[in-house]
Amino acid sequence: MRTPFISGNWKMNLDRAGARGLAAAVAQHAARGVDVALFPPAVYLDEVVRAVAGSRVQVGGQNCCDEASGAFTGEISTAMLADVGARLVLIGHSERRHVYGESDELIQRKVARALGDGLHAMLCVGETLDERDGGRTEEVVARQLTSGLRGVARASLASLTIAYEPVWAIGTGRTASPAQAGEVHRYTRGVLAGLYDREVAESLRILYGGSVKADNAAELLAVPDIDGALVGGASLRADLFLPIIDAAQRTHSA
Ligand code: PGA
């Protein structure tokens, strides 16, 4: 049984007081039976780690450097993330891939670095609208998974989560239908079974991301291969995010 996993990716939003308040509200609400993670801007990691201390909420970085340390101005290492209490890191988010031009190779090195340094990696994959319209969704997802997981040992997969986020659904208000998302999640699990084996593919959690809101969360989370959500916009307000955690708890206990 895969425990549902609800994550909030705050992107470049909020200020220190807002981050602290929101993190505290989520920590207070986090319910048994649902794993919850928050990905605040790096400068607020410390603040958020302190705000959720003692709760079941985990905290992660939105990005990390592929190098261990040194002359990499502006970058943040996995060791630094761990040092301030982050336990996870998002890797390959579509904004990193498409706005900042991160390649599959760079993303693969970041995954290896994060796992090697003991962080839980959340590897994001997903097709653009052009790729979907061109019938290339499966090809793109398979390429991003195969490349991102190159060199990752089966035993390390306990520290990895996949997030499927169709680029055309991120921040657009245009959610993939449960059927559309379910199809790619099923396909993703098949790719993982091919890269490793069926047992490990069944144990890995695959989250859906892209305009998840309180009013569509329940139907998405009810799809058998959708194990949780990576939420952007709706994770920025407690009144929008907490009902998504509730929806996950209801689906789990149903
Ligand atoms: P959104 O973002 O929920 O605002 O669409 C999701 C994400 O980018 O992780």
Side-chain angles (χ1 to χ4, degrees):
M1 190 68 181
R2 298 180 295 264
T3 306
F5 191 175
I6 303 298
S7 304
N9 172 14
W10 293 355
K11 309 190 181 184
M12 198 171 73
N13 292 296
L14 301 175
D15 58 14
R16 182 194 291 272
R20 186 194 308 126
L22 179 55
V26 174
Q28 211 169 44
H29 191 83
R32 252 185 314 147
V34 181
D35 289 339
V36 177
L38 298 176
F39 295 91
V43 289
Y44 302 136
L45 276 169
D46 219 6
E47 190 76 44
V48 169
V49 165
R50 271 185 274 125
V52 304
S55 79
R56 40 184 301 126
V57 177
Q58 299 228 307
V59 180
Q62 296 176 6
N63 184 24
C64 65
C65 186
D66 60 318
E67 298 284 349
S69 67
F72 301 101
T73 302
E75 292 292 299
I76 295 173
S77 74
T78 48
M80 291 168 182
L81 291 175
D83 194 27
V84 295
R87 296 282 166 264
L88 307 94
V89 62
L90 281 181
I91 299 179
H93 187 276
S94 75
E95 285 145 24
R96 300 303 318 172
R97 292 180 189 268
H98 299 293
V99 183
Y100 294 100
E102 291 193 5
S103 65
D104 286 337
E105 291 69 31
L106 177 61
I107 288 161
Q108 183 272 325
R109 291 199 300 276
K110 291 185 179 197
V111 170
R113 176 69 60 193
L115 294 175
D117 283 350
L119 291 179
H120 185 106
M122 190 174 290
L123 173 63
C124 305
V125 299
E127 81 287 3
T128 63
L129 187 56
D130 270 2
E131 289 163 342
R132 171 161 284 260
D133 289 346
R136 296 176 50 216
T137 299
E138 294 189 349
E139 172 199 324
V140 169
V141 167
R143 190 200 74 226
Q144 292 176 342
L145 285 169
T146 307
S147 168
L149 295 173
R150 186 166 299 134
V152 174
R154 187 181 189 281
S156 300
L157 294 176
S159 298
L160 191 116
T161 299
I162 303 292
Y164 166 60
E165 300 201 302
V167 180
W168 48 273
I170 295 180
T172 57
R174 203 179 142 190
T175 327
S177 68
Q180 279 175 322
E183 203 178 313
V184 183
H185 279 239
R186 213 165 28 255
Y187 174 74
T188 298
R189 214 174 289 287
V191 172
L192 294 167
L195 290 172
Y196 296 92
D197 55 57
R198 189 41 72 180
E199 190 191 341
V200 89
E202 288 299 328
S203 71
L204 268 169
R205 287 182 293 189
I206 307 173
L207 313 189
Y208 169 77
S211 297
V212 176
K213 308 271 182 275
D215 59 6
N216 60 24
E219 57 174 8
L220 286 161
L221 295 169
V223 177
D225 278 303
I226 300 183
D227 305 314
L230 179 54
V231 186
S235 73
L236 294 172
R237 278 174 36 191
D239 62 329
L240 302 179
F241 189 58
L242 302 185
I244 300 176
I245 299 176
D246 293 341
Q249 198 191 23
R250 276 197 301 275
T251 334
H252 185 65
S253 51

